[in-house]
Amino acid sequence: MERSPVAFDQNSSGVASDFPTLLRRKGLLSPVTEPARLAVAPYQLAPGQQKPWQPTEATTILAFKFSGGVLVAGDRRATAGNTVVYDRADKVLEIDRHSIMAIAGVPATAWEMARVLEHSFQFFRRTQLQEMSVDGKVRALSKLLRDNFGFVMQGVGVVVPIFATYDSHPKPEARLYFYDAMGAQFEATDYAATGLGSPAVRGILYYENTWGPKALQQLSEDEAVSIALRALDTAAESDTSTGGVDRSGKIYPLIKIVSREGIRTLPESKIAAVFKETVAAPASPR
Amino acid sequence: MIEEPYRWVEAIANRREYIEGQLAPGSPIAALGYREGILFLTLGQMRQKIFEIYDRIAMGAIGHPGDIERLRMAAIELASTEGFTRSATDVSLRRLVHYSLSPVMKSAFEQVYGPPYLARMLFAEVGERPEEDLFLRVDYDGEIATNGATYARARQDFAVLSGTRQSTELMEAFLKTRHAPDASFETAFNCALDAWSIGHMTLQTSEAKELPEPAAVAKYRQEQLSIAGIEAALLERDASRAIRYRSLSDTELRSLIHD
């Protein structure tokens, strides 16, 4: 008998607290593929052939802590090889009231991952009658990345995210994590960046944090937005896959701020004002 | 037993009597649609009885905790997978109850060699406008009662759940005259407290056909409030947030009680 996705599962034990497992049981999420069991061996190369270049993380995402929480910014360009397919992509995604996942990588996999994650947190709260801890949330994303690693080895579906959240227990503070494609998680003390444009961004943030007029954590909101826009503009200068700021089309990067009060998306008008004043204007004597 | 239909009917009747007996002491739950949403309310001391199912759906239940847990989990799993594969707007209480929960509860009840679900549940789904609120009560045998208009009666902006039929009917009779869908939160909250008190005080008295006197209700309510905690939750109508469910604490509600 064919099972519809909304059939009542009488074998439900009542302990399936893991949403991805539930989805896999119902055949709604691709199964975990171990690299060793893949039908296609990873990167089948002829002897002497170079590993093909794959534009898999073509974007720039950055996040850093400032006085008002964590700022997460991402450009809006989506590319396929050398082609720009979309210039209003949303790569900074709200997962719940206090968590943001920002993505670099293959959009199909990344958005699916964000969707699974969002539903996982809610599913946990509803079934277990308590909020998932921040460590649990960070680990859940790590597990999704690990489960996806088979596809990464096949050369499809690599995702390298940043996760920013506000932890109210035990010590209220903003927390920032970055990952590698295998699912290793690293907690960032000050800043994190991912995507092809990230080396340039990392350079800027390191410089600002160490020798700038103020450490990143002491910046006001306007100053933080200004640094974020400058960093993205710099990344776009040399990386074709990063959109930066499209001055003619008035497309600005997406900037969200996570704080104790929740997530706030900065309005375009505000970003435009900061951009006009501190980024587009030629450098004035300091 | 298949060859002897009479014994099957007898077995079902026995089973019904047994389950009704088990459910009878269950503390009532009132769900009232008001201007800004739907309020679920009960008084109790031990177990949580009001639960979040999905973005716009909540559930209250009485019965055996194990059975409530299995049904609650099933409802959350169904709603979550539907919301994941399609979208949150495609999750519908009507489909959840009519196509999934009710048939399963009915067959569990009628398969006399297996255990039935010892539970009675009240679901509500908040709509954009009060007229779109949906209330569904599902019984242990899969029977569904709705708030929808039929040829015989007007649509109700509330629903109740109680251990006995008589307590349920009295609560409904009270709310029919006293509750208005455009009520404020405070009014709806006090009305729900009264409805609960009426439901709870008529659980024991088997012959109560009339609504108790208001003074008696007020006295009973005061007594119960001093020994039990208020458990309440909201489904908010405000569409700016996806998740409408919010549980309310006993302490934030106590100050709103009118004597």
Side-chain angles (χ1 to χ4, degrees), chain A residues 258-271:
Chain A
V258 190
S259 67
R260 181 198 292 267
E261 287 75 40
I263 295 169
R264 199 154 47 85
T265 305
L266 291 191
E268 258 187 19
S269 56
K270 157 121 189 178
I271 299 174

Side-chain angles (χ1 to χ4, degrees), chain A residues 162-184:
Chain A
I162 282 177
F163 189 76
T165 187
Y166 195 89
D167 193 356
S168 340
H169 309 284
K171 184 169 145 241
E173 62 177 342
R175 288 169 71 179
L176 181 58
Y177 294 85
F178 59 100
Y179 294 80
D180 72 5
M182 268 189 84

Side-chain angles (χ1 to χ4, degrees), chain A residues 87-221:
Chain A
D87 57 9
R88 284 183 167 78
D90 188 350
K91 305 172 194 170
V92 182
L93 309 168
E94 292 181 27
I95 303 296
D96 64 20
R97 285 187 63 197
H98 286 97
S99 310
I100 285 180
M101 174 182 168
I103 50 172
V106 174
T109 316
W111 280 323
E112 170 95 341
M113 233 176 239
R115 213 169 147 68
V116 172
L117 206 60
E118 179 186 356
H119 281 77
S120 297
F121 295 173
Q122 289 176 25
F123 185 77
F124 184 88
R125 186 190 65 243
R126 285 170 180 145
T127 56
Q128 308 302 305
L129 304 173
Q130 69 180 53
E131 200 68 46
M132 196 189 284
S133 70
V134 164
D135 289 339
K137 290 177 179 175
V138 169
R139 187 75 203 114
L141 177 52
S142 179
K143 180 133 194 326
L144 284 180
L145 290 165
R146 185 69 191 83
D147 289 350
N148 184 52
F149 193 60
F151 288 109
V152 176
M153 288 302 286
Q154 274 184 314
V156 289
V158 64
V159 176
V160 186
I162 282 177
F163 189 76
T165 187
Y166 195 89
D167 193 356
S168 340
H169 309 284
K171 184 169 145 241
E173 62 177 342
R175 288 169 71 179
L176 181 58
Y177 294 85
F178 59 100
Y179 294 80
D180 72 5
M182 268 189 84
Q185 74 211 26
F186 307 95
E187 180 160 11
T189 47
D190 296 303
Y191 61 87
T194 178
L196 271 185
S198 62
V201 166
R202 226 172 272 140
I204 290 176
L205 293 178
Y206 180 80
Y207 184 94
E208 276 295 330
N209 199 31
T210 320
W211 299 295
K214 277 184 192 174
L216 293 174
Q217 298 226 23
Q218 265 122 48
L219 295 179
S220 70
E221 187 176 305

